[in-house]
Amino acid sequence: MEQRAMPASDPARPQDRPARLAVGVVGAGRVGTALGEALSRAGHRVVAVSAVSERSRARAEERLPGAAVVTPQEVVAASDLVLLTVPDDALPELAAGLVATGVPVTGRLVLHTSGRYGTGVLDPMTRAGALPLAVHPVMTFTGRADDVNRLHGISYGVTSPEPLRPVAEALVMEMGGEPAWIAEDRRTLYHAALAGGANHLVTLVVEAMDLLRAAGVAEPGRMLGPLLGAALDNALRLGLDGLTGPVARGDAGTVAGHVSELARVSPEGRRAYVAMARLTADRALGAGLLRPEDAERLLEVLAD
């Protein structure tokens, strides 16, 4: 049977779907290049990117081939959708500075990826006619080529004016993600939860590995992997019902031994242990997992 050639314009191909956008990326870092590549895979055209360092220029050329490396103002002028993927602290100045240059923003979608901010940080651009979106990917980025593949199935914290909500959610779904609506006044709390969970987890794991090495364990990562994997799975599936260990059992003597030994080996680790043990005891008590008399003995051990 003769095979039919695909016509030049076929909606089965991502690039031939309606409402394809010219995309620009201001800040060719890990996040910007990954999202730019994801949008390109969805059929949008990444036409321009700004990059300052040699590393970011090389990353842009590798991940976003065909995109012109130009100034931020030229990125905005060339784009229907502008990604502002710069560090959180640089975002307010960037938004105000772009408007101050007189670059046209009216009718352009302007999307930032900061977890900390909603759309209020883009107010200078919004007043000038831009359409603001806050779309934060809930994922860590390493700068490796496989970053874009890790976007599939992740959540995005989305904030926008209500009329633009379908646009923001559609962009997230095109990148293979799941949009989660975050109110403007809850963005800081939302981001604190993510940073506390993910960033502090890394610190806790590294501290645990260091202590195991001090205890003579040659391969602490191998020892911790199954335990921490099970603990994370229990927490996500069962919540506090997945809690185990000496605090949950009310074993004040064991906890006292931990605190004493950590004071000798890692004073900073002791402070972290005490703070987390107090929080664990409070939550376990509130959930009825810990008897009040056991909680009282634990809190005496954990007092400064």
Side-chain angles (χ1 to χ4, degrees), residues 1 4 8 12 24-25 67 70 80 100 119 135 140 158 161 180-181 193 198 203 220 222 224-225 251 253 286:
M1 186 171 85
R4 181 177 66 87
V25 181
V70 294
D80 305 313
T119 56
V135 177
T140 60
V158 174
W181 185 256
T203 304
R222 185 172 181 176
L224 283 172
D251 192 346

Side-chain angles (χ1 to χ4, degrees), residues 207 210-215 257-270:
E207 173 72 4
D210 286 347
L211 293 174
L212 286 171
R213 289 189 190 96
H258 293 173
V259 172
S260 177
E261 185 66 2
L262 287 171
R264 184 182 69 83
V265 176
S266 174
E268 296 84 359
R270 175 196 176 278

